[in-house]
Amino acid sequence: MSAALLLALPIAMFALLAVCWPLRHTGRFAGMLSAAVAVACFGIAVALFASGRSELYEYPWLVRSGHVIASVGWRLDPTSASMLIVVTAVAACVQIYSLGYLSHEPPKDLGRYFAWQSLFIFAMVGLVVAPNLLQLVGCWELVGLCSYLLIGYWWRKPSAGKAAVKAVWVTRFADIGLMTGIVVLYGATGGFAWDHVLAPQVATAVAALLFVGVMGKSAQMPLHVWLPDAMEGPTPVSALLHAATMVAAGVYLVVRAWPIFHAAPDVLVVMSWVGGVTAFTAACIALVQTDIKKVLAYSTCSQLGYMIAGLGSGEMLGGYLHLTTHAFFKALLFLAAGSVIHATGTNDIREMGGLWRKAPWTAGLFGAGTLALAGIPGFAGFFSKDLLLEELFEAGRYGPLVLCLAGAGLTAFYMTRVMCLVFSGEQKERVHHAHESPFVMLAPMLFLSVPAVAAGWFAGPFAERLGLEYHFSVTPVGGIATIFALGGVGLGVARYGIGQLTWLAWPAAATFLASAPVDRLWAAAWRQGLLPFARAAGWFDRYVVDGLINLSGWVALEGGERLRLLQTGKVRDYVYAAVVGVVLLAAWGAMQ
Amino acid sequence: MTLHAVLIVAALMFCIGLFGVLTRRSLVSVVLSVELMANAANINLVAFSRFGNHPWGQAMALFAIALTVAEVVVGLALVILIARTHGSTDADVPSALKG
C-alpha cells in the first residue's frame, strides 16, 4: 500500500463519474460509490500514518537535456501523513453526510456534485503529498477549481455564480504573488524544492511572495472577502473546502515550506501581525452576523488568523496543531449548522430558537463543536490555541498576542450567541415543524465529534511523530485565554440566554468593522482598476495584435487583386513578356 | 559566301518568325512562324559547322529538325483541339488564364 493509491482511487472515481454518464445520472448510487471510495481513502491514510513509513517518489516530468526541471510524485512523511488523515476523514464524513443533506437534489446534479467531490479529494491529496512546490501549486489551483465548481453548485442562483467567480478572482489575484515567489525560487535555486538553503534576501523575497498567495487561499485580511460569500455553496462543501481543508492549504503551504519561512524572520513578523489582525477583526464581524453559516465563515477566517499568527511566532507546532484540531471541530460545526438549516429551512438565526427540543442530537453536537472552538479547557481547540498563544508570548510578539487573546474572548462570545439564539429560548414559527436529521447525517457528525473533543489529548504523541516536543503546562497566557473564553461564554449566556446585559448590543462599532468597507474597497478596485485594464488589454489585443495579423492578410489580398490585372489570358501577351524578358536578360548579360 | 552573310540571313529569318508569332492572330500562322524561328537556329548550326569544319553542328541540326517535326505535331494537335472547343483558330479567343 502506498500513497499512490490515495491519488489513484479518487481520480479514478472522478474519471468514472465524468465519463460514464449513466452512472453519474443515478445520483444516489454514484454518491454511495464516491463515499465508499472516500472511506477507503480514509482507511488507507490511517494505515499509512500508523505504519509510520516515509516514502519519496519523484517522476521526472519536465526534462531538458538530462537536467530535471520539475518532477511530480509523492512525499510521505509524518507531516503529510497526518494531514492526509485530516483531509480524508473530513472528506469521508462530508460525503456520507451529503447523501442525506442533498437527498432532495435531482439525481443528475447529485452525480455532478460527487464527481467534483472525488476530484477534490484527489487534488487535496496531491497538494498534501506534493514533493515540491510546483506540484503543490498545481494542486493548489486544482482545489481552487473544485472550490469554484462547488460554490457554484446551485448555479441557477445568481448569487451562487457570483460568489464562485468572486472566489476565483480574489484567490487568483493572490496567486500572482505565489507564482512570482515560485519563479524567484526557481531563479535562485534552479528547482522547486523547499529545503534548499537560501540567502537571507532571497528567502525573504520568496517567503513574502508565497505569503501573498497564502493570504488569498487562507482568507487573511484584507483578502478574506471571498470566504463569507463562498457560503453560497452547499453546507457540506463549506465544511470540507471552506473550513477544514482547502482554506487550510495556505497554512499547510507555510508548514511545508517551513525552511524558507524560517529563514525569513521579517516575513514571520508580518505574518503574526496579519494573523492577529485577522483573528480579531473577523471575530468582531462574526459578532453581528445573522446568517448561521456566515458566523462560522468569519469564525473560520478568525481561526485561520490564529494559525498564521502562531506560525509567525517562528514555531511550527502550534499553528499546525491548530490546523488539525480546527479542521475537525469546524467541520463538525458546519455539518451541525447544515443539520440546523436542514431542520428549519432557513439560515437566519433570528428565526430560530428552542431547537434543542426538536433536534437534541444536533444541539449536542453543535455544543461540542462550540466548546472546542471556544477553547474551553479539555476540548481540542483549547490545547492548540493555548500552545499557539504560548509560542507568540515566548517569541515576544505581544501585539498579535493581545489581538489573539481578545479574539479568544470574542470567539467564545459569538459562538455562545449562536448556541443560545438557535437552540435555547422559545420556539419560533420555523422551529415548530423542525425535525431531527436522519442517521446518515448524524453518524458523520458523531464520528467527527470524537476528535473535535479529544484530539487535544494526543498532542504529545502527535508532536513526537513530527519530531517536535509538546508538554502541556499551565501558563499565565493560557490562564488568561481560558478566563477570556469562560468569560465570553458567561457573557454570551447572560446576554442571549438569560436576556440580561442588553447594552451588549454591539452597535455601530462592530457594524463598522463588518466586512462591507473592505468588500466595497475590493469591488471598487475591481471595477475601477481591473476592468479598465482588462478593457485596455482587450483593445490592444483586438486592434494591435489582431490588427497586425489582419493587415498582413489585407496586404496579400489587395496585392493579389492588383497583380491579377497582369494576367490577360491572351497568348501573345505572354509571348511579349517572354521576349521582353529575353531581351532584358541579353542586355544584362552584355553589360556584365 | 561568308559566315556573316549566312548569319544575317538566319537572323532575318528569326526576326520574321518572331514578328509572325507576335502579330498573327491565326494559330496556324503562329505555328508556322515558330517553325521559321526554329529553322533560323538550324541555319546557324549548319553555318558554324560548314565554316568551322566540324560535323557536330550538322548532326545537331538533323536532331533539331526531327524534334521540330514532333513539336509541330503537338502544336498542330493543340490547334485542332482549340479549334474544336472554341470553334475558331483565333489566338485571342481562348482566355481561360485571364485573371
Side-chain angles (χ1 to χ4, degrees):
Chain A
M1 198 145 40
S2 125
L5 210 54
L6 271 179
L7 288 165
L9 274 178
I11 194 69
M13 189 67 228
F14 167 70
L16 184 67
L17 286 181
V19 174
C20 181
W21 53 267
L23 175 65
R24 188 172 75 236
H25 288 181
T26 58
R28 205 170 164 70
F29 179 66
M32 284 158 137
L33 217 55
S34 173
V37 165
V39 171
C41 283
F42 173 58
I44 295 167
V46 170
L48 284 174
F49 185 75
S51 71
R53 217 148 39 100
S54 286
E55 259 182 58
L56 177 62
Y57 172 77
E58 285 186 276
Y59 173 78
W61 172 36
L62 296 176
V63 182
R64 197 176 58 195
S65 56
H67 170 65
V68 179
I69 298 171
S71 56
V72 290
W74 56 84
R75 175 193 298 240
L76 194 69
D77 52 16
T79 315
S80 56
S82 52
M83 187 71 187
L84 280 180
I85 290 195
V86 173
V87 169
T88 52
V90 178
C93 287
V94 159
Q95 291 211 10
I96 295 170
Y97 178 95
S98 301
L99 286 172
Y101 187 77
L102 296 172
S103 56
H104 302 305
E105 290 291 306
K108 279 186 184 178
D109 289 353
L110 201 60
R112 179 167 57 98
Y113 173 84
F114 278 103
W116 290 336
Q117 282 274 1
S118 291
L119 180 65
F120 174 75
I121 297 182
F122 165 75
M124 197 65 209
V125 169
L127 191 153
V128 170
V129 299
N132 54 41
L133 270 178
L134 191 71
Q135 183 183 334
L136 199 149
V137 169
C139 291
W140 175 285
E141 298 299 345
L142 210 51
V143 291
L145 171 73
C146 293
S147 163
Y148 166 78
L149 293 169
L150 287 166
I151 294 171
Y153 170 68
W154 284 310
W155 51 270
R156 286 181 189 84
K157 216 166 57 169
S159 58
K162 276 184 190 151
V165 172
K166 184 171 169 184
V168 171
W169 269 113
V170 177
T171 48
R172 296 259 65 202
F173 175 70
D175 284 349
I176 297 172
L178 184 69
M179 296 288 175
T180 322
I182 285 188
V183 171
V184 172
L185 180 70
Y186 182 78
T189 67
F192 298 101
W194 49 63
D195 36 17
H196 276 293
V197 179
L198 297 172
Q201 296 92 336
V202 179
T204 306
V206 173
L209 288 165
L210 292 182
F211 182 59
V212 175
V214 170
M215 281 172 72
K217 203 63 147 191
S218 287
Q220 298 296 296
M221 293 269 170
L223 290 168
H224 68 286
V225 289
W226 66 273
L227 188 57
D229 286 31
M231 297 299 126
E232 287 290 343
T235 313
V237 170
S238 310
L240 179 59
L241 272 73
H242 306 120
T245 54
M246 191 201 82
V247 287
V251 180
Y252 184 75
L253 169 67
V254 179
V255 172
R256 277 271 97 161
W258 190 243
I260 296 175
F261 282 88
H262 199 61
D266 296 345
V267 178
L268 289 179
V269 174
V270 174
M271 272 170 67
S272 60
W273 273 103
V274 168
V277 169
T278 308
F280 179 74
T281 321
C284 284
I285 301 171
L287 289 175
V288 292
Q289 296 299 316
T290 54
D291 181 325
I292 187 168
K293 286 183 73 182
K294 288 266 166 86
V295 177
L296 292 178
Y298 280 111
S299 165
T300 304
C301 280
S302 167
Q303 297 301 311
L304 289 164
Y306 277 98
M307 296 172 208
I308 294 290
L311 292 171
S313 71
E315 293 290 330
M316 193 185 83
L317 185 60
Y320 189 48
L321 190 63
H322 199 54
L323 193 172
T324 48
T325 56
H326 172 260
F328 289 123
F329 63 68
K330 188 51 72 61
L332 170 65
L333 277 172
F334 262 109
L335 294 188
S339 177
V340 168
I341 295 166
H342 196 67
T344 58
T346 176
N347 281 12
D348 195 333
I349 51 178
R350 289 168 302 184
E351 292 180 31
M352 303 172 187
L355 194 63
W356 74 273
R357 276 177 214 283
K358 296 277 184 185
W361 285 98
T362 305
L365 291 163
F366 198 93
T370 301
L371 292 174
L373 173 56
I376 303 301
F379 290 89
F382 168 73
F383 292 97
S384 49
K385 206 183 278 183
D386 186 54
L387 174 63
L388 195 151
L389 295 172
E390 188 59 35
E391 285 173 356
L392 276 174
F393 179 69
E394 273 171 17
R397 305 271 154 77
Y398 298 119
L401 177 66
V402 169
L403 287 170
C404 285
L405 279 172
L410 292 174
T411 307
F413 185 84
Y414 67 67
M415 283 316 294
T416 313
R417 167 175 177 259
V418 172
M419 274 301 289
C420 292
L421 285 179
V422 173
F423 294 107
S424 75
E426 60 190 81
Q427 293 185 357
K428 302 255 172 75
E429 195 193 336
R430 288 250 185 205
V431 182
H432 288 311
H433 311 290
H435 53 87
E436 181 60 283
S437 298
F439 181 70
V440 69
M441 287 166 69
L442 287 177
M445 293 198 287
L446 280 168
F447 177 79
L448 279 176
S449 70
V450 175
V453 170
W457 297 96
F458 302 101
F462 178 75
E464 202 176 305
R465 183 57 82 76
L466 295 180
L468 301 164
E469 259 186 68
Y470 172 76
H471 301 290
F472 178 70
S473 55
V474 180
T475 56
V477 178
I480 295 171
T482 308
I483 292 167
F484 273 28
L486 291 171
V489 172
L491 282 176
V493 170
R495 168 68 183 84
Y496 293 101
I498 306 169
Q500 295 298 308
L501 307 175
T502 37
W503 50 270
L504 274 178
W506 307 104
T511 2
F512 173 74
L513 283 171
S515 160
V518 186
D519 229 355
R520 233 174 278 137
L521 188 74
W522 282 115
W526 184 69
R527 213 167 286 131
Q528 318 268 306
L530 199 56
L531 280 189
F533 176 74
R535 236 172 261 133
W539 183 90
F540 184 81
D541 181 59
R542 202 166 301 136
Y543 294 106
V544 179
V545 177
D546 287 4
L548 279 173
I549 291 165
N550 287 344
L551 181 72
S552 68
W554 181 86
V555 164
L557 273 178
E558 277 301 302
E561 201 62 40
R562 299 275 180 281
L563 283 173
R564 65 182 282 194
L565 298 179
L566 287 178
Q567 301 286 340
T568 58
K570 287 189 177 141
V571 182
R572 276 179 303 166
D573 290 346
Y574 296 105
V575 178
Y576 268 122
V579 170
V580 170
V582 166
V583 170
L584 284 177
L585 273 177
W588 182 67
M591 278 195 295
Q592 291 290 305
Chain B
M1 198 162 65
T2 61
L3 176 63
H4 251 101
V6 181
L7 289 185
I8 284 169
V9 169
L12 276 173
M13 252 176 88
F14 187 85
C15 286
I16 292 165
L18 183 61
F19 180 79
V21 169
L22 292 178
T23 53
R24 304 306 294 229
R25 293 184 66 179
S26 164
L27 280 170
V28 180
S29 312
V30 171
V31 171
L32 275 175
S33 306
V34 169
E35 268 320 283
L36 226 51
M37 288 160 73
N39 282 313
N42 284 342
I43 288 174
N44 273 4
L45 285 171
V46 173
F48 282 120
S49 173
R50 168 89 167 69
F51 291 100
N53 277 330
H54 204 291
W56 282 16
Q58 295 178 33
M60 209 58 147
L62 277 172
F63 271 115
I65 289 165
L67 280 176
T68 311
V69 170
E71 179 230 306
V72 167
V73 169
V74 174
L76 282 176
L78 283 174
V79 170
I80 290 167
L81 209 59
I82 287 168
R84 279 207 191 138
T85 49
H86 294 280
S88 116
T89 55
D90 190 337
D92 289 349
V93 172
S95 60
L97 278 178
K98 185 169 161 52

